[in-house]
């Protein structure tokens, strides 16, 4: 099936006289006939459901749909995008280990990496994906390094991650590449096709698309050889919490996603609810149509604003003169680069504030990738916890405004932005 068809049919196939629409299985628990049935579940010998923290039929259907879209062997929904990143890292790293991370990642991810993981004893080393050479980046990798992490399209710096380049670096050192594919979605980019091993998403963004449900997902490509690498003994040695089970032996290519579920999800409980999964599925059904129209509107607005006298710079990888245009053409479907652009407004912080305070149709929101146009000033919102130096490392200036272009008529979007800029 093509992606548009997968978005409608993958993950759930109704039987005779069963609901056409994915049902919400609103139950925390599931009944079994014998103690042996339940024992087999706890020993991971069977894969049915027994407690919705670890698995639920509604969530399972959505997980299978997203795995099919990304081309992975399995997926696991989480309570948020942050929870997806947390789960992915903790599945492979522990206190004393290190992660290599692009410095232009989303502010919440940056804080998770720089502050919270540090408190857990996991050291995160940041790198400049644009200006550092392969040799400089490889010099930061050592025997403790467990993964490289980056975003397909960074939020809000809008840098485009050179997936193939960093996959080659990661695999040279026998570690996986983890890619946050939130802005691109699997419709515009499939990181596994370029060598990525694990993908995470905030499903809150374009996958949901309607600003109704927070969520996240971890997807496993099944391509990383955990047994071959010497850096992941916990995948090839017995897990005492499951009577000596060995993940690579028992689950093969799905070793990572199973371990993520039965260890990290079991212990941290950052699970998604069936009601939430239902909402996410509704968004997924129209994702191919929406993400392309977001991209069309985004490019039209970016082209309209790139020479505006009140704007210092329009940052949008779909523009012909963008420094990321070549990477966008390589990794993103037909030049579609989603609907988020960043504007550096003249007048710095004050100029950005005057602009945002005067929009009429668009909304000032702590959100992005919605069907409705919305704006945010990262330096006082999503990246508020960062110093000016850290903002610069993330590719963000104090006056930068993140603009998420919605699905309104493009002429109305342009008119609203133009009138707001008159106040700068």
């Amino acid at each position: 099936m093509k992606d548009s068809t997968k978005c409608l049919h993958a993950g759930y196939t109704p039987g005779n006289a069963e609901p056409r629409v994915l049902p919400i299985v609103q139950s925390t628990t599931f009944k079994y006939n014998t103690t042996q049935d339940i024992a087999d579940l706890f020993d991971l010998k069977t894969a049915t459901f027994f407690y919705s923290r670890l698995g639920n039929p509604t969530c399972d259907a959505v997980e299978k749909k997203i795995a099919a879209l990304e081309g992975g062997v399995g997926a696991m929904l989480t309570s948020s995008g942050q929870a997806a990143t947390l789960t992915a890292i903790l599945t492979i790293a522990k206190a004393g280990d290190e992660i290599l991370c692009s410095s232009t990642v989303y502010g919440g991810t940056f804080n998770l990496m720089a502050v919270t993981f540090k408190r857990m004893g996991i050291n995160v080393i940041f790198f400049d994906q644009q200006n550092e050479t392969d040799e400089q980046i490889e010099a930061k990798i050592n025997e403790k390094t467990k993964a490289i992490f980056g975003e397909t399209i960074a939020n809000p710096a809008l840098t485009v991650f050179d997936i193939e380049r960093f996959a080659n670096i990661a695999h040279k050192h026998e570690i996986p590449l983890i890619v946050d594919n939130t802005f691109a979605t699997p419709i515009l980019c499939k990181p596994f096709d370029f060598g990525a091993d694990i993908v995470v998403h905030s499903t809150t963004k374009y996958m949901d698309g309607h600003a109704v449900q927070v969520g996240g997902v971890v997807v496993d490509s099944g391509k990383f050889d955990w047994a071959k690498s010497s850096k992941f003994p916990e995948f090839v040695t017995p897990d005492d919490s499951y009577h000596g089970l060995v993940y690579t032996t028992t689950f093969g290519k799905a070793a990572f996603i199973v371990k993520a579920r039965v260890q990290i999800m079991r212990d941290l409980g950052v699970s998604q609810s069936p009601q939430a999964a239902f909402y996410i599925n509704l968004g997924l059904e129209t994702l191919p149509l929406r993400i392309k129209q977001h991209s069309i509107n985004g490019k039209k607005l970016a082209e309209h604003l790139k020479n505006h006298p009140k704007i210092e710079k329009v940052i949008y990888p779909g523009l012909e003169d963008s420094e990321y245009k070549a990477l966008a053409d390589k990794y993103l479907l037909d030049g579609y680069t989603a609907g988020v652009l960043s504007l550096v407004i003249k007048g710095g912080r004050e100029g950005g504030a005057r602009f945002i305070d005067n929009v009429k149709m668009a909304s000032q929101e702590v959100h992005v990738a919605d069907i409705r146009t919305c704006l945010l000033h990262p330096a006082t919102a999503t990246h508020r916890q960062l110093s000016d130096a850290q903002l610069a490392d993330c590719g963000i200036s104090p006056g930068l405004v993140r603009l998420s272009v919605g699905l309104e008529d493009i002429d109305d979007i342009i008119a609203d932005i133009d009138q707001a800029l008159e106040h700068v």
Side-chain angles (χ1 to χ4, degrees):
M1 293 188 290
K2 304 297 185 183
D3 282 347
S4 322
T5 309
K6 287 178 183 177
C7 282
L8 293 170
H9 293 282
Y12 171 68
T13 303
N16 187 47
E18 291 183 346
R20 170 62 273 183
V21 175
L22 175 66
I24 303 171
V25 181
Q26 194 63 51
S27 180
T28 61
T29 51
F30 304 84
K31 177 184 177 295
Y32 286 88
N33 294 328
T34 70
T35 55
Q36 187 60 50
D37 289 337
I38 295 181
D40 287 345
L41 284 167
F42 276 88
D43 287 343
L44 306 184
K45 293 179 179 178
T46 57
T48 47
F49 308 101
F50 63 99
Y51 193 55
S52 281
R53 169 158 46 91
L54 288 176
N56 172 281
T58 308
C59 296
D60 179 68
V62 179
E63 290 165 349
K64 288 177 178 175
K65 177 175 288 188
I66 295 173
L69 287 168
E70 285 286 11
V73 296
M76 181 178 72
L77 292 179
T78 61
S79 55
S80 68
Q82 287 288 86
T85 301
L86 173 73
T87 302
I89 296 297
L90 292 184
T91 301
I92 58 177
K94 61 185 182 304
D97 289 336
E98 295 186 356
I99 300 294
L100 206 60
C101 181
S102 168
S103 61
T104 58
V105 293
Y106 161 62
T109 304
F110 190 99
N111 199 67
L112 172 65
M113 297 282 183
V115 179
T116 303
F117 279 144
K118 184 177 181 180
R119 294 177 63 190
M120 294 179 175
I122 299 172
N123 188 34
V124 177
I125 308 296
F126 293 95
F127 64 89
D128 185 332
Q129 66 185 50
Q130 182 178 6
N131 296 313
E132 291 190 59
T133 65
D134 289 2
E135 291 74 19
Q136 289 173 315
I137 292 168
E138 288 188 60
K140 299 180 179 184
I141 299 174
N142 57 50
E143 69 280 357
K144 297 179 181 179
T145 309
K146 292 301 180 75
I148 297 178
F149 186 99
E151 283 182 79
T152 307
I153 304 174
N155 175 15
L158 300 182
T159 55
V160 179
F161 195 62
D162 193 341
I163 301 170
E164 192 171 41
R165 174 193 177 196
F166 292 104
N168 289 335
I169 293 174
H171 297 158
K172 180 179 177 180
H173 295 271
E174 298 186 333
I175 57 176
L177 175 65
I178 304 174
V179 173
D180 183 334
N181 199 32
T182 295
F183 272 9
T185 80
I187 304 303
L188 301 188
C189 179
K190 299 186 189 298
F192 295 155
D193 289 348
F194 301 98
D197 301 290
I198 299 158
V199 159
V200 297
H201 288 270
S202 168
T203 62
T204 318
K205 310 305 188 298
Y206 284 122
M207 281 189 170
D208 169 286
H210 298 75
V212 297
Q213 185 60 58
V214 173
V217 68
V218 183
V219 191
D220 181 5
S221 71
K223 295 179 180 179
F224 189 82
D225 193 338
W226 304 98
K228 181 180 179 181
S229 174
S230 61
K231 293 195 170 186
F232 303 96
E234 64 273 22
F235 281 85
V236 296
T237 56
D239 182 348
D240 292 337
S241 67
Y242 285 105
H243 306 294
L245 175 147
V246 177
Y247 289 99
T248 52
T249 301
T250 306
F251 300 106
K253 292 182 177 181
F256 171 85
I257 200 65
V258 172
K259 187 174 185 290
R261 186 183 300 276
V262 302
Q263 274 193 346
I264 307 304
M265 184 62 78
R266 174 197 64 188
D267 295 342
L268 298 187
V270 288
S271 54
Q272 189 55 281
S273 71
Q275 182 81 44
F278 178 83
Y279 291 139
I280 294 166
N281 186 62
L282 286 180
L284 287 169
E285 290 179 339
T286 60
L287 177 60
L289 297 172
R290 289 186 292 102
I291 194 66
K292 291 176 183 178
Q293 189 60 48
H294 278 294
S295 299
I296 291 168
N297 281 358
K299 186 172 184 179
K300 286 182 178 179
L301 182 62
E303 290 175 339
H304 173 77
L305 295 176
K306 66 180 181 180
N307 296 316
H308 198 287
K310 301 291 183 73
I311 296 176
E312 289 183 10
K313 185 178 183 180
V314 174
I315 304 170
Y316 185 70
L319 289 173
E320 291 300 322
D321 59 354
S322 168
E323 58 192 315
Y324 296 105
K325 184 63 166 62
L327 289 174
D329 288 343
K330 176 178 179 177
Y331 292 114
L332 300 168
L333 174 70
D334 297 334
Y336 290 116
T337 49
V340 180
L341 52 145
S342 292
L343 309 176
V344 181
I345 307 297
K346 290 185 177 179
R349 291 176 185 267
E350 182 180 349
R354 288 179 66 85
F355 166 59
I356 287 183
D357 288 345
N358 282 283
V359 293
K360 295 180 178 179
M361 179 186 70
S363 303
Q364 185 176 172
E365 299 176 7
V366 186
H367 191 48
V368 68
D370 186 10
I371 54 173
R372 303 165 190 85
T373 299
C374 54
L375 308 92
L376 187 72
H377 184 214
T380 55
T382 54
H383 291 63
R384 186 178 181 86
Q385 74 277 15
L386 304 185
S387 66
D388 283 353
Q390 287 175 318
L391 283 174
D393 288 340
C394 293
I396 300 169
S397 66
L400 184 142
V401 171
R402 183 185 70 189
L403 174 57
S404 178
V405 183
L407 299 183
E408 301 95 344
D409 189 284
I410 187 58
D411 291 338
D412 293 329
I413 297 172
I414 288 173
D416 190 26
I417 300 305
D418 281 350
Q419 67 81 27
L421 284 169
E422 292 176 5
H423 297 271
V424 175

